[in-house]
Amino acid sequence: MKNVCFYLNIHQPYRLKRYRFFDIGNDHYYYDDFANEDIISNVAERSYMPMCNTLLEMQKEYGSDFKCAISISGTAIEQLQQAEPDVIEMLRKLADAGTVEFLAGTFAHSLAALEDPEEFMRQVKTEEKTIKMVFGQTPKVFANTELIYDDDIATLIQSMGFKAALVPGAKHILGWKSPDYIYSAATAPKLKMLFTNDKLAADISHNFNNSDWAEYPLTADKFVNWLSELPEEEQIVNIYLSMDTFGTFIPASSGIFDFFKALPRFGKEKGVRFTSPSEVVAKLKAVDTITVPYAISYVDGTRDISAWKGNDLQREAINKLYGIAERVSMVEDRKIRQDWEYLQGSDHFFYMATGNGADAAFSPYDSPFSAFTNYMNVLADFLVRVREQFPENVDNEELNSLLLTISNQSAEIEELNKEVNALRKNILESEDANYAPAELPAETAAPAKKKPGRKPAAKKEETKKPAEKKATKKAGK
């Protein structure tokens, strides 16, 4: 039986408002609340709600015969909770039914994996906690921001306990190999690699509504036939799509939701099983090891990271942002920490793209330079706030030393607390042993003699020494 897994990605950033040079130092709120709420509500109405309804209908009709995976950023969860809580509720129902498996990622859909390993792991842990709290699942499979991946990132992913990672099916990495097998990471042998089948994904996302396409129209039975005709030995087909594809990029009037809903019915006839990544990872072994020496991503045909780091504008903004990571890690101000999270969103740097990664349709700015200028004005104000907490005259070496001292002190305090708790436990156990009441004699036995022991406080007050009696009489006079 052929295993197929659909991955649906949900992400919405916190878009920035128009922030002028003269706002620096005067306005510490950076976000376009109207645009953010309007966009999340629009996409929820057109894509998220109808897709969740479709998945719930499929769950009722097919039960465990259909499963899929969803990756959702923390910033999308927050905005949906505020503006469209019904979507969160439906996703929770799908999680409870076992239809959807949630993947881990970075909370803010950031580039931290490329810039700051410690910040990357912190964000992943935050995302894990959020998924657990909101949907009741502990993620086992990892999907990084836009599936950004390389050998170094693989090591980090494995160190955090994940069983597998979703990886772009880049031709220059796979070469002659098929993406429809499980592989293991060269630098992290215990981490399984799930490569995306980009051709089949593109057949849906790019060609479903393309009347000029040779295979138009794409129907559910035709698509399932293609899946069933793949070589029998190929283990798993991973199809990664944005949930926005359904209803927003491809309108509901095209029949895209009906197409998706019909897949399991034809799959059952053709021996195609729609499953979750964890189930496949648990039962299938890797057939080979693959190395990815340079970072790849799911964006563009180039499958590299030029969409975010392809020009000087982007690199300047990223270097400025992560240049203060050590200082921010010491800040306890909740608002600064929140802004730090939101400003790391990869979308801010994507809007600055000028090469193959540029896509004006997704940008709220007139030009990449406008995006850069606006972001740098916001970042300038953010830097002022951070410097107020940790001035620039404290260099990074001093900060590192201070962080090490704080870390050592925390560890020492933790050890001391353990010792104190152990001593307290021993004292209590000792007291219980010394003052435990003797066993009561049997009714037929002679009354036991009273043993000397601690007298109650009340009796001590009743018996006073002669000197104390005299003092009391004098006091009474």
Side-chain angles (χ1 to χ4, degrees), residues 199-267:
K199 180 188 179 302
L200 288 173
D203 287 340
I204 297 175
S205 61
H206 295 140
N207 294 321
F208 184 85
N209 209 29
N210 178 14
S211 58
D212 294 330
W213 183 40
E215 297 291 343
Y216 182 85
L218 179 62
T219 59
D221 58 336
K222 182 187 292 187
F223 191 78
V224 170
N225 277 337
W226 292 345
L227 292 170
S228 65
E229 290 168 0
L230 292 170
E232 185 178 347
E233 64 275 12
E234 293 190 354
Q235 303 167 306
I236 174 67
V237 180
N238 299 298
I239 302 175
Y240 181 76
L241 298 163
S242 170
M243 193 178 282
D244 299 30
T245 300
F246 300 86
T248 299
F249 303 150
I250 301 175
S253 58
S254 67
I256 186 66
F257 292 105
D258 295 328
F259 161 82
F260 195 82
K261 186 178 178 181
L263 290 174
R265 176 162 61 87
F266 291 103

Side-chain angles (χ1 to χ4, degrees), residues 177-468:
K177 297 176 181 177
S178 168
D180 302 332
Y181 290 94
I182 290 180
Y183 300 91
S184 63
T187 54
K190 294 181 179 179
L191 183 72
K192 293 181 178 179
M193 304 168 71
L194 301 170
F195 281 94
T196 58
N197 188 312
D198 297 344
K199 180 188 179 302
L200 288 173
D203 287 340
I204 297 175
S205 61
H206 295 140
N207 294 321
F208 184 85
N209 209 29
N210 178 14
S211 58
D212 294 330
W213 183 40
E215 297 291 343
Y216 182 85
L218 179 62
T219 59
D221 58 336
K222 182 187 292 187
F223 191 78
V224 170
N225 277 337
W226 292 345
L227 292 170
S228 65
E229 290 168 0
L230 292 170
E232 185 178 347
E233 64 275 12
E234 293 190 354
Q235 303 167 306
I236 174 67
V237 180
N238 299 298
I239 302 175
Y240 181 76
L241 298 163
S242 170
M243 193 178 282
D244 299 30
T245 300
F246 300 86
T248 299
F249 303 150
I250 301 175
S253 58
S254 67
I256 186 66
F257 292 105
D258 295 328
F259 161 82
F260 195 82
K261 186 178 178 181
L263 290 174
R265 176 162 61 87
F266 291 103
K268 200 169 186 179
E269 296 173 1
K270 296 289 184 177
V272 175
R273 178 172 176 262
F274 295 92
T275 185
S276 65
S278 286
E279 289 186 1
V280 173
V281 168
K283 70 179 183 180
L284 297 179
K285 295 182 179 180
V287 299
D288 200 358
T289 298
I290 290 184
T291 183
V292 184
Y294 304 105
I296 57 175
S297 79
Y298 194 72
V299 175
D300 311 332
T302 56
R303 294 293 186 261
D304 59 17
I305 56 172
S306 59
W308 307 278
K309 298 188 70 175
N311 61 45
D312 291 338
L313 301 178
Q314 295 167 310
R315 290 189 289 270
E316 172 69 12
I318 290 171
N319 290 339
K320 283 285 187 184
L321 176 67
Y322 285 99
I324 58 168
E326 289 176 327
R327 283 172 164 75
V328 176
S329 66
M330 298 175 64
V331 173
E332 295 184 359
D333 185 301
R334 187 190 64 82
K335 192 66 179 71
I336 289 180
R337 298 287 298 183
Q338 185 181 64
D339 289 337
W340 164 249
E341 196 106 59
Y342 297 167
L343 290 176
Q344 290 184 67
S346 62
D347 305 75
H348 303 308
F349 311 105
F350 182 79
Y351 300 148
M352 304 175 197
T354 54
N356 294 331
D359 193 334
F362 291 98
S363 177
Y365 299 97
D366 297 333
S367 68
F369 184 74
S370 296
F372 172 76
T373 302
N374 200 70
Y375 183 84
M376 293 306 284
N377 285 341
V378 169
L379 188 57
D381 182 80
F382 182 72
L383 290 172
V384 169
R385 293 164 61 202
V386 174
R387 286 167 187 157
E388 286 176 351
Q389 306 248 352
F390 295 99
E392 283 191 327
N393 57 8
V394 180
D395 60 25
N396 283 338
E397 285 190 17
E398 290 179 273
L399 281 174
N400 288 331
S401 176
L402 183 55
L403 284 171
L404 180 61
T405 301
I406 292 172
S407 177
N408 291 338
Q409 286 177 343
S410 297
E412 187 177 349
I413 290 170
E414 187 176 349
E415 288 300 319
L416 289 172
N417 282 334
K418 288 180 182 178
E419 291 181 21
V420 168
N421 290 332
L423 287 171
R424 185 180 289 114
K425 184 179 179 182
N426 290 338
I427 291 170
L428 291 172
E429 289 176 352
S430 176
E431 287 182 348
D432 289 342
N434 289 334
Y435 303 121
E439 291 184 0
L440 291 173
E443 291 181 6
T444 57
K449 292 182 179 180
K450 292 183 179 179
K451 295 182 180 180
R454 293 190 302 179
K455 295 182 179 180
K459 290 184 179 180
K460 285 183 179 179
E461 291 176 2
E462 290 173 3
T463 307
K464 296 184 179 179
K465 293 180 182 179
E468 291 175 338

